[in-house]
Amino acid sequence: MAMIHAALALAFLFILTATSLAAAPAGAQQSPANEEAVGIEAANSVGRLRVIALTPTVLRVRFAPGGEFAEDASWAVPANVRAQRAAITRRSNGFSTSALQVAVDPRTLALSVTDRQGKLIHADTGVPITLEAGGFTLRKAMPAGERYFGMGDKTGPHDRRGASFVNWNTDAYGYGAATDPIYKSIPFFVAAGGQGGAYGLFLDNSHRSWFDFGHRQENVLALGSPGGPIDYYLIAGPTVAEVVRRYTDLTGKAPLPPRWALGFQQSRYSYMSDAEVREIAARLRSDRVPTDVLWLDIDYQDRNRPFTVNRQTFPDMRRLARDMRADGLKLVAITDLHIAHAPGEGYAPYDSGRAGDHFLKNPDGSTYVAPVWPGPSVFPDFTRAVTRRWWGDLYKGLVDDGIAGFWNDMNEPAIFETPTKTMPLDTVHRIDADDFRPRPAPHAELHNVYGMENSRATFEGLQGLRPNLRPFVLTRATYAGGQRYAATWTGDNNATWDHLKLMVQQLVNLGLSGFTYAGADIGGFTGGPSPELLTRWYQLGAFTPVFRSHAAKNTPRAEPWVDGPEHLAIRRRAIEERYRLMPYLYGVAEQHARTGDPVMRPVFYDYPGALAAPCDTSMTFTVGRELMVAASPRPESPQAYDVCLPVGGWYDYWTGERVRGQPIEGNTAVERIVETPRLERLPLFVRAGTILPRQPVTQSTAEKPRGPLSLDIYPGPDCRGELYWDDGETLGYRRGAFLRQPIRCAVGESGLQISFAPRTGSLKPWWRELAVTVHDWGGAAEVRTNGRSVTAEEDGPARALRFTLPDPRRGTEVVISRR
């Protein structure tokens, strides 16, 4: 096929629009007011390039082959966000914002972006735009020191440089460490380590796109698609954190989940009966394993039909849910999207779906039917708003029975008995929603958003059925922006050491891609883990955002107790520590809802110098900014390994002792320590300067902790923390029913001062006292607050000082003086 090269510039002009930065309603057009330029257009014989500044640091780039732009619509970026505009200053070959300088070569249409000091952030290279057979290729420069992350839960290397990927949601049962594509399509990456700092690129194209990070051509980052629009966003940093925050400004932030979703969750494919569910629940409680959720896979249903219950094995679902709830346990049930093709059988979801014309069509107009778990099945057209409402209403029966959350699986969509594992590309959707114009569209265009729109329909349905409760939805397939509707997991993984390692890089990259609420099947879905592998998986899983044990039929059991009392004790300790840390973990979750900062992060997210650390960091990550997990990069090996700690000071979480790292020649950003693996210990460190809230262990988040809230203070620079709490279940926090209290500390020669700011929000907490521990403290001390002396106990062996305060809801100062 002939390649059409960009050449022979025909036009170069500024785009004019309103000066207002206010968001426009969906479908509205902004008309020129003062005709202040907000972007540029450049055209040549191939087409027209348009660059718009949405904000000073976010650019939208669109290309119109032949000069006619595709419709301005998106499944990922809402219309009001796309309508934002930032003021610019015109330049001879482009424009500048308050943060960026943008230039376009009028001949080739090559784009380059620098910061205001002229440091290069992003540049096209070679022939920047190539059109071919309805598709396109874009080429970008790859500076030698730049590294690439994101793209969702892709397998392969943690750093994407040197690899290539396809975005096509795929049922990838038992995938390997190099399998691509798998379940999700999030065409977004973060580049770090370049001259101008970090930037991100999001290609908003739902077709089968691809990204090549210098795999086929050295130092050339290529991306493209066989169809769909050339429509992408460049997001400048200069830090990775700023890029991720701005990406979630574009595509949305995950809402604050119910607190129980952060607890431990036990599942299997399948718990086959009411009796087995009760048996598992009783064992969890008798073994004192804190747990919040039990999951019901497809076998609770009648003949695998969604929205049914097998009354032979689950005779009274409402009573089961009520009894579990009384024991602090929630039930989450699967509802796959394939509806059994059952005309004349009284199957209500099929009958109402057919009556409402809600199912996908063949090109000849007949209903598309294909085999999945129920046998011949039909598939809702979630690109129609009316169909999403119909689907959401189907949950009423299960919601009335007391099911707390729902699991949308098989929504790539997976189809049996076909080599493509999915439906034909010419299957017809009828778009009628959002800001798209109503029209028929082939599955080739909508395949990658189908799972996201399925989870959206579920989420919105639960919002309608339980308006004051936070929905919990888990989805396997999704697209960029799907974090607004559902949590996710990494699919049908394997019980291998390689997959334990793969979990860390998948979840870290999902967090960088906007999907912070993600997990992996603890122990592996297929195969069966050794006792040591399963124990290591529980230890690491306790620090991942979604903590669910799950395994397939015909595999060994993977519940915490299966390998005897020694392994149970270690696994229980890991789970208990998650519950102790719930005040911190929940605070990080609330921070994500506001800022987009992931819960589980690469170390360089908050400590950019760690990007160049000389240690193997493939099993190292942080939970929020303050906690750092540093598992062995060879988890199957007993061999000692290096850990690189960012400079500034760290403490051992388990002992409270300050860690003394060794300088690394030629690197001032990190220090080195050596860890020797031990089965009972997961290396966990706390940043010096952390004020860490913890609570007594409970058996579920529904149980009120008994005793004071603990505050562990690890003296160091930038010493701070925050208390955040709400009821954990309703939307009352949006109406002021929350508690927020910043805390700071200052270290001086004479001692330490702790400052509690006045509390905001109307919530009264469960605690009445604070049990404070100051670590790395030697000698006696005098503690005073509000002019009163406070009894303090020195713990010499632990080098700690301990005292208890009344809950300082109005704020207070605590002065600790050395004696």
Side-chain angles (χ1 to χ4, degrees):
M1 297 182 181
M3 291 187 177
I4 308 173
H5 290 194
L8 301 177
L10 300 180
F12 190 82
L13 54 94
F14 284 90
I15 303 169
L16 306 179
T17 192
T19 57
S20 171
L21 300 183
Q29 297 292 321
Q30 288 187 327
S31 59
N34 297 332
E35 294 194 343
E36 180 179 344
V38 296
I40 57 170
E41 283 190 0
N44 62 19
S45 60
V46 177
R48 183 176 295 272
L49 183 75
R50 176 181 293 170
V51 185
I52 294 288
L54 271 63
T55 74
T57 52
V58 178
L59 307 175
R60 185 182 184 190
V61 183
R62 302 176 71 197
F63 182 78
E68 183 175 349
F69 287 97
E71 66 176 323
D72 185 3
S74 173
W75 299 106
V77 183
N80 64 329
V81 177
R82 300 197 313 274
Q84 293 176 354
R85 298 292 183 264
I88 68 168
T89 301
R90 305 182 186 192
R91 298 166 59 89
S92 61
N93 60 344
F95 63 87
S96 61
T97 71
S98 59
L100 305 176
Q101 297 182 123
V102 179
V104 175
D105 183 327
R107 183 181 62 85
T108 65
L109 306 186
L111 173 69
S112 66
V113 181
T114 67
D115 64 16
R116 293 292 296 224
Q117 289 71 46
K119 293 181 180 178
L120 184 64
I121 296 172
H122 170 88
D124 290 343
T125 192
V127 179
I129 304 170
T130 301
L131 306 179
E132 184 174 341
F136 63 89
T137 296
L138 309 178
R139 293 177 180 84
K140 311 289 185 180
M142 292 180 67
E146 205 159 69
R147 301 169 68 179
Y148 303 91
F149 304 91
M151 299 293 295
D153 61 347
K154 293 293 189 184
T155 59
H158 184 38
D159 175 2
R160 308 308 194 187
R161 190 176 186 114
S164 58
F165 304 96
V166 171
N167 291 306
W168 188 249
N169 294 356
T170 301
D171 178 5
Y173 173 82
Y175 62 91
T179 303
D180 185 71
I182 56 173
Y183 304 97
K184 300 167 190 66
S185 295
I186 307 179
F188 167 73
F189 68 81
V190 181
Q195 177 191 124
Y199 77 90
L201 189 151
F202 167 47
L203 176 64
D204 194 2
N205 181 312
S206 62
H207 290 247
R208 187 186 179 105
S209 63
W210 55 270
F211 284 65
D212 186 285
F213 296 93
H215 182 200
R216 289 183 289 185
Q217 186 175 353
E218 187 176 8
N219 298 326
V220 173
L221 194 165
L223 59 148
S225 174
I230 302 176
D231 188 352
Y232 67 94
Y233 296 83
L234 285 174
I235 308 166
T239 67
V240 170
E242 288 168 309
V243 171
V244 172
R245 291 167 193 155
R246 290 163 187 161
Y247 170 73
T248 60
D249 287 342
L250 277 179
T251 62
K253 295 171 173 56
L256 187 63
R259 190 156 48 239
W260 56 260
L262 299 177
F264 174 61
Q265 307 178 32
Q266 182 61 56
S267 181
R268 183 170 177 81
Y269 171 38
S270 287
Y271 294 132
M272 301 296 295
S273 66
D274 178 294
E276 187 176 12
V277 171
R278 293 177 185 274
E279 177 186 345
I280 294 295
R283 182 67 186 269
L284 288 163
R285 291 297 180 241
S286 67
D287 280 347
R288 304 292 294 170
V289 178
T291 309
D292 266 87
V293 183
L294 291 174
W295 290 68
L296 302 178
D297 212 321
I298 60 175
D299 292 290
Y300 82 90
Q301 300 169 136
D302 175 20
R303 291 168 286 174
N304 294 332
R305 294 183 175 189
F307 304 103
T308 67
V309 175
N310 183 338
R311 298 299 177 183
Q312 299 299 313
T313 52
F314 289 85
D316 192 337
M317 184 64 78
R318 183 169 299 193
R319 181 178 179 183
L320 175 64
R322 185 181 66 239
D323 291 348
M324 293 299 101
R325 189 165 56 251
D327 208 10
L329 293 164
K330 301 290 194 298
L331 293 181
V332 172
I334 200 167
T335 49
D336 289 339
L337 51 68
H338 38 251
I339 299 296
H341 182 250
E345 297 183 23
Y347 176 42
Y350 174 80
D351 293 341
S352 63
R354 181 181 180 186
D357 195 22
H358 292 304
F359 302 131
L360 295 179
K361 306 291 186 181
N362 292 307
D364 64 4
S366 61
T367 299
Y368 172 72
V369 182
V372 204
W373 292 119
S377 302
V378 292
F379 301 83
D381 187 353
F382 295 111
T383 63
R384 304 173 70 220
V386 64
T387 298
R388 293 200 299 269
R389 287 193 294 271
W390 161 79
W391 173 268
D393 289 343
L394 294 177
Y395 284 93
K396 186 177 188 306
L398 292 171
V399 166
D400 288 347
D401 280 346
I403 303 299
F406 294 94
W407 172 15
N408 294 151
D409 200 354
M410 304 292 288
N411 54 358
E412 292 72 32
I415 304 294
F416 294 167
E417 301 175 18
T418 175
T420 67
K421 299 184 179 181
T422 195
M423 59 184 58
L425 300 185
D426 60 358
T427 304
V428 179
H429 301 248
R430 292 162 290 161
I431 298 174
D432 189 7
D434 302 275
D435 50 350
F436 288 87
R437 68 177 185 272
R439 60 181 171 86
H443 188 68
E445 176 184 344
L446 295 165
H447 175 87
N448 284 338
V449 300
Y450 191 65
M452 177 177 77
E453 293 303 291
N454 169 214
S455 62
R456 175 185 181 180
T458 304
F459 179 87
E460 292 174 348
L462 297 180
Q463 283 183 314
L465 292 168
R466 299 184 296 206
N468 194 39
L469 293 183
R470 307 174 205 177
F472 177 75
V473 181
L474 187 81
T475 187
R476 190 168 75 176
T478 193
Y479 180 69
Q483 67 270 10
R484 303 190 296 258
Y485 314 118
T488 193
W489 89 109
T490 60
D492 297 340
N493 60 351
N494 300 323
T496 66
W497 292 102
D498 281 346
H499 268 262
L500 177 65
K501 290 185 63 174
L502 186 59
M503 174 186 74
V504 173
Q505 77 95 339
Q506 285 182 296
L507 299 186
V508 164
N509 277 303
L510 274 166
L512 293 176
S513 306
F515 252 98
T516 202
Y517 296 115
D521 288 345
I522 300 300
F525 182 71
T526 71
S530 68
E532 182 178 351
L533 173 57
L534 186 56
T535 293
R536 291 293 190 200
W537 219 314
Y538 270 100
Q539 289 174 315
L540 273 170
F543 294 92
T544 62
V546 176
F547 184 22
R548 183 183 76 151
S549 173
H550 185 58
K553 288 181 176 180
N554 303 317
T555 66
R557 305 295 293 219
E559 289 84 6
W561 54 80
V562 296
D563 296 308
E566 179 184 355
H567 284 280
L568 171 60
I570 298 171
R571 296 166 190 172
R572 180 171 50 216
R573 183 188 183 199
I575 297 169
E576 288 177 340
E577 213 57 49
R578 184 182 182 94
Y579 280 76
R580 284 192 182 95
L581 283 165
M582 192 58 67
Y584 173 74
L585 183 61
Y586 193 62
V588 175
E590 192 274 337
Q591 178 192 17
H592 173 77
R594 286 184 290 110
T595 68
D597 291 327
V599 172
M600 183 174 174
R601 311 172 185 175
V603 179
F604 61 77
Y605 191 89
D606 293 292
Y607 308 96
L611 184 66
C615 303
D616 185 340
T617 60
S618 57
M619 291 285 279
T620 301
F621 59 91
T622 65
V623 181
R625 185 181 72 140
E626 319 299 350
L627 296 181
M628 175 174 151
V629 176
S632 170
R634 298 175 299 280
E636 72 282 5
S637 170
Q639 185 177 357
Y641 61 96
D642 290 342
V643 174
C644 284
L645 298 171
V647 296
W650 293 82
Y651 290 78
D652 186 308
Y653 176 84
W654 305 111
T655 66
E657 296 176 356
R658 186 180 281 268
V659 177
R660 309 292 178 183
Q662 298 299 315
I664 299 173
E665 185 176 352
N667 191 311
T668 60
V670 295
E671 296 176 332
R672 179 186 284 117
I673 64 169
V674 177
E675 279 285 341
T676 300
R678 303 200 308 269
L679 181 61
E680 72 281 4
R681 171 185 160 84
L682 175 68
L684 180 63
F685 303 96
V686 188
R687 180 189 71 87
T690 293
I691 301 175
L692 186 70
R694 300 195 304 166
Q695 69 179 33
V697 172
T698 61
Q699 290 304 294
S700 79
T701 60
E703 180 184 337
K704 180 181 177 180
R706 298 178 181 179
L709 178 75
S710 296
L711 280 186
D712 284 76
I713 298 178
Y714 301 86
D718 189 23
C719 186
R720 57 188 167 99
E722 183 176 82
L723 300 181
Y724 177 83
W725 205 249
D726 58 38
D727 67 22
E729 193 164 13
T730 76
L731 300 179
Y733 71 96
R734 297 181 179 176
R735 301 183 291 271
F738 64 87
L739 175 158
R740 188 188 306 281
Q741 187 168 36
I743 312 169
R744 299 196 71 90
C745 75
V747 182
E749 291 184 5
S750 61
L752 181 73
Q753 180 172 313
I754 309 169
S755 301
F756 293 84
R759 190 171 290 168
T760 58
S762 62
L763 185 84
K764 292 183 179 180
W766 56 263
W767 63 87
R768 296 183 179 181
E769 295 180 313
L770 300 182
V772 180
T773 299
V774 179
H775 294 275
D776 197 31
W777 183 276
E782 180 184 21
V783 180
R784 298 186 67 82
T785 180
N786 296 327
R788 300 177 183 177
S789 180
V790 177
T791 301
E793 176 185 346
E794 180 195 356
D795 185 343
R799 288 186 55 80
L801 183 72
R802 308 182 199 279
F803 55 90
T804 301
L805 299 173
D807 182 37
R809 62 187 182 90
R810 291 188 175 88
T812 191
E813 300 284 332
V814 179
V815 178
I816 307 172
S817 303
R818 298 185 185 278
R819 290 196 305 193

